[in-house]
Amino acid sequence: MDTTAVDTTQAPPDLENQYTDDRVLTSYLKRAVPKDVRADIEESLHTLGARAGGDLYALQQSDRRNEPTLTRWSAWGERIDEISVTDVWQTAAPIAARYGLIGLPYEAPYGAHSRPIQFALAHLFIPSTDMYGCPLAMTDGAARTLLASGNEALIDEAVPHLTSRDPESAWTSGQWMTELSGGSDVGRALTTARQDDDGAWRLYGRKWFTSAITANMALALARPEGNPDGGKGLALFYVRIRTDDGALQPGLKVLRLKDKLGTRKLPTAELHLDGVRAEPVTELKRGTRHISPMLNITRTWNAVTATSFMRRAIALARDYATKRTAFGKPLIDQPLHQDTLAQMQSTYEGAFHLSFRVAELLGRTENEAASDTDQALLRLLTPVAKLLTAKQCVSLTSEAMEAFGGAGYVEDTGIPQIHRDAQVLPIWEGTTNVLSLDLLRAVKHVGGIDPLFDEFKRCMDTLSAPRLVPPMKQAAQALKHARQWLGRTHASDNDDLVQSGARRFAMTVGRALEVALTVHHAQWALDHENDGRPAEAAVRLAQHGIDRLHKVDPHGAHVLAHDYNCPTLFECHTGTPDRTDSEAPVPTASPSEVTPEQVLSDA
């Protein structure tokens, strides 16, 4: 009898240097960042990439079961509300400071390129540090908001700490807006601000969802007594969360840490404000307007976080596919599995180029290097990038779980955590629907979507590869359809019609720009790197579908949402359906004969 043991173990996926192993990131930096800047930052990228795939990832896996804890009382009955964080968070904080993950764009050593460099570092850092990118996003947003406020006293007090590279003096910030009464409708906030006899302001109320209560300070919305209802009656306040010895400020109580689906390493708290001292950041009204610089920054962080999670999921799934054998050969050699990984990769590449285009525009705007078109484009693309990449990330991380089979559903592998954490991205900093409506406001603010067409033309400047013309035509057709839809719906003077299509409009615009930006990079990669992989990604991205603006009757949504029968609904839905992108014309001219104007006019 043969007693030889059969090895039935499965090798887990491994990660290499997450900088040198990420073709999309390294190629993008070669195209978008000057050579001298790359040379100066290369060591930091390489070192952080090695840690992201090495000791930080190993620590993350070993620390997987740990979560932050809240200790309300000391042994002798004193209310202390002490928060303990995980080993990963304790390790991540000084690394973030030393690498300048907040400080870099404020130091601006590379001018407008400082933002893309910052987010390249964040792209490497975030997936291995259990959502420590969240307090970094809030901190970055707080620094920008305080600088925009012009309040010199608060700028001098807080901004040097928020942007410090010294772990001993570096602060993080929270953002206190969400209340049970309003959620995204922050104008319904019930927290009030009262002024003492000595002139000090104090806040009273309940903040239902506050991120990273371990922060040193927060920006909070509250309504000064006597102010009117709604967003205009709110004011923006600065709150020091902790005293100099690290204790919570008097009048601030942590009711509980939230029990969430994902981001469980992040100490998200529900707070009771009972006279905590605060200082007005600006005038005592229009607080939602004054906090908007924070939202623009945090939404960009959200998009970069989404791309970083996609990259991590793909890196693990691809490595696992080389080690897992099924039906006689490795998964990586199975045609259907190859196709699945390729589609995931194309989604990631589109999301990456959209997110980092926003980072570029943000850097140009902050360094006074942006044209009027750049600024308008930033206003349009910020909500689009956030909402689209977040939804793509949830879908892709779900696909990645499936790529591992049953192992992907087992907590010990660490794969489910990626998907659970990704699910917060469409919710934080404005849900998909809220951001779709924000895009419509942005369109009105900048006077239309012409800046998107200008961006499209920029992406076509060097287009010459025949294979890249069809996806560009398809994207152009979708973008033109979006403009037509916008004109028709506004002309109808039917707000319900406009709102009901807002998400599909935003998705169409976002997907069209993802394809255009990916094509733009793909042409550069062909010309400068002799690499056809980005072109394959662009083609696949377009084939996956761009146009979401099919014609629907908004009354049908009302019927289905309320779930009642409407026999006449079919009769109400009249007219010819709008053309979909699957019917987009196929170009017949050679690439050398195609101009941006022809592509846009032919679509």
Side-chain angles (χ1 to χ4, degrees), residues 6 106 122 141 173 199 202 216 271 342 366 379 461 522 534 541 598 602:
V6 177
Y106 298 93
S173 178
R202 299 188 182 275
N216 304 83
L271 302 179
E366 290 176 337
R379 179 67 181 90
D461 281 347
L541 192 61
Q598 287 174 323
D602 291 346

Side-chain angles (χ1 to χ4, degrees), residues 407-439:
Y409 200 64
V410 176
E411 288 288 351
D412 287 352
T413 65
I415 306 302
Q417 180 182 328
I418 301 173
H419 181 58
R420 284 190 283 105
D421 287 353
Q423 186 60 67
V424 80
L425 297 174
I427 299 172
W428 268 350
E429 306 312 302
T431 63
T432 307
N433 285 356
V434 167
L435 286 166
S436 297
L437 296 175
D438 185 52
L439 173 60

Side-chain angles (χ1 to χ4, degrees), residues 502-537:
R503 178 192 283 235
R504 291 179 283 111
F505 171 73
M507 291 289 184
T508 299
V509 166
R511 289 174 181 274
L513 266 293
E514 278 191 347
V515 170
L517 290 163
T518 306
V519 165
H520 178 64
H521 182 78
Q523 184 64 65
W524 180 91
L526 286 170
D527 294 341
H528 295 86
E529 298 179 319
N530 196 29
D531 188 350
R533 289 171 293 183
E536 175 65 23

Side-chain angles (χ1 to χ4, degrees), residues 192-456:
T192 59
R194 303 173 193 162
Q195 200 167 18
D196 288 347
D197 293 339
D198 63 359
W201 285 92
R202 299 188 182 275
L203 306 186
Y204 299 84
R206 177 185 175 198
K207 292 297 183 181
W208 188 72
F209 212 91
T210 63
S211 57
I213 187 56
T214 51
N216 304 83
M217 59 154 284
L219 295 181
L221 292 178
R223 194 179 312 280
E225 281 190 317
N227 273 22
D229 294 338
K232 291 182 179 179
L234 293 173
L236 180 62
F237 289 88
Y238 165 89
V239 180
R240 279 290 303 273
I241 297 177
R242 302 182 183 281
T243 61
D244 291 339
D245 62 3
L248 286 179
Q249 290 282 7
L252 178 59
K253 291 182 173 63
V254 180
L255 299 180
R256 57 175 168 166
L257 295 183
K258 295 293 192 177
D259 186 10
K260 301 164 292 179
L261 169 71
T263 66
R264 299 185 65 88
K265 305 303 185 79
L266 171 62
T268 306
E270 183 176 341
L271 302 179
H272 176 55
L273 311 182
D274 188 21
V276 64
R277 184 158 183 159
E279 296 181 47
V281 176
T282 56
E283 59 183 335
L284 293 173
K285 56 184 177 180
R286 291 195 288 266
T288 51
R289 175 183 297 178
H290 293 303
I291 205 171
S292 61
M294 170 174 274
L295 297 178
N296 291 333
I297 297 292
T298 56
R299 286 169 179 173
T300 306
W301 272 87
N302 203 98
V304 172
T305 298
T307 63
S308 75
F309 276 21
M310 288 188 237
R311 162 62 191 161
R312 173 56 52 86
I314 292 170
L316 291 169
R318 182 179 289 134
D319 186 75
Y320 184 73
T322 67
K323 297 173 177 177
R324 177 68 173 176
T325 297
F327 307 109
K329 57 183 176 180
L331 287 177
I332 197 71
D333 294 328
Q334 304 277 5
L336 183 53
H337 200 76
Q338 291 174 354
D339 190 77
T340 303
L341 293 175
Q343 190 57 54
M344 291 165 61
Q345 179 69 22
S346 69
T347 300
Y348 162 59
E349 297 200 26
F352 179 96
H353 290 300
L354 178 59
S355 299
F356 274 79
R357 180 58 175 151
V358 173
E360 290 174 22
L361 293 166
L362 180 61
R364 292 180 64 82
T365 299
E366 290 176 337
N367 287 271
E368 300 182 354
S371 65
D372 290 344
T373 297
D374 288 338
Q375 295 179 54
L377 188 61
L378 176 63
R379 179 67 181 90
L380 293 169
L381 287 188
T382 299
V384 169
K386 190 277 183 188
L387 72 87
L388 178 57
T389 60
K391 298 298 278 189
Q392 289 175 321
C393 184
V394 172
S395 177
L396 189 148
T397 54
S398 176
E399 192 73 72
M401 287 179 67
E402 191 175 341
F404 286 88
Y409 200 64
V410 176
E411 288 288 351
D412 287 352
T413 65
I415 306 302
Q417 180 182 328
I418 301 173
H419 181 58
R420 284 190 283 105
D421 287 353
Q423 186 60 67
V424 80
L425 297 174
I427 299 172
W428 268 350
E429 306 312 302
T431 63
T432 307
N433 285 356
V434 167
L435 286 166
S436 297
L437 296 175
D438 185 52
L439 173 60
L440 293 181
R441 287 190 292 272
V443 169
K444 184 177 181 180
H445 179 77
V446 305
I449 64 171
D450 284 351
L452 299 178
F453 284 88
D454 291 338
E455 177 71 353
F456 193 95

Side-chain angles (χ1 to χ4, degrees), residues 141-161:
R144 180 53 58 195
T145 300
L146 289 175
L147 288 169
S149 74
N151 188 323
E152 294 299 333
L154 292 182
I155 291 171
D156 291 344
E157 177 178 333
V159 172
H161 288 289

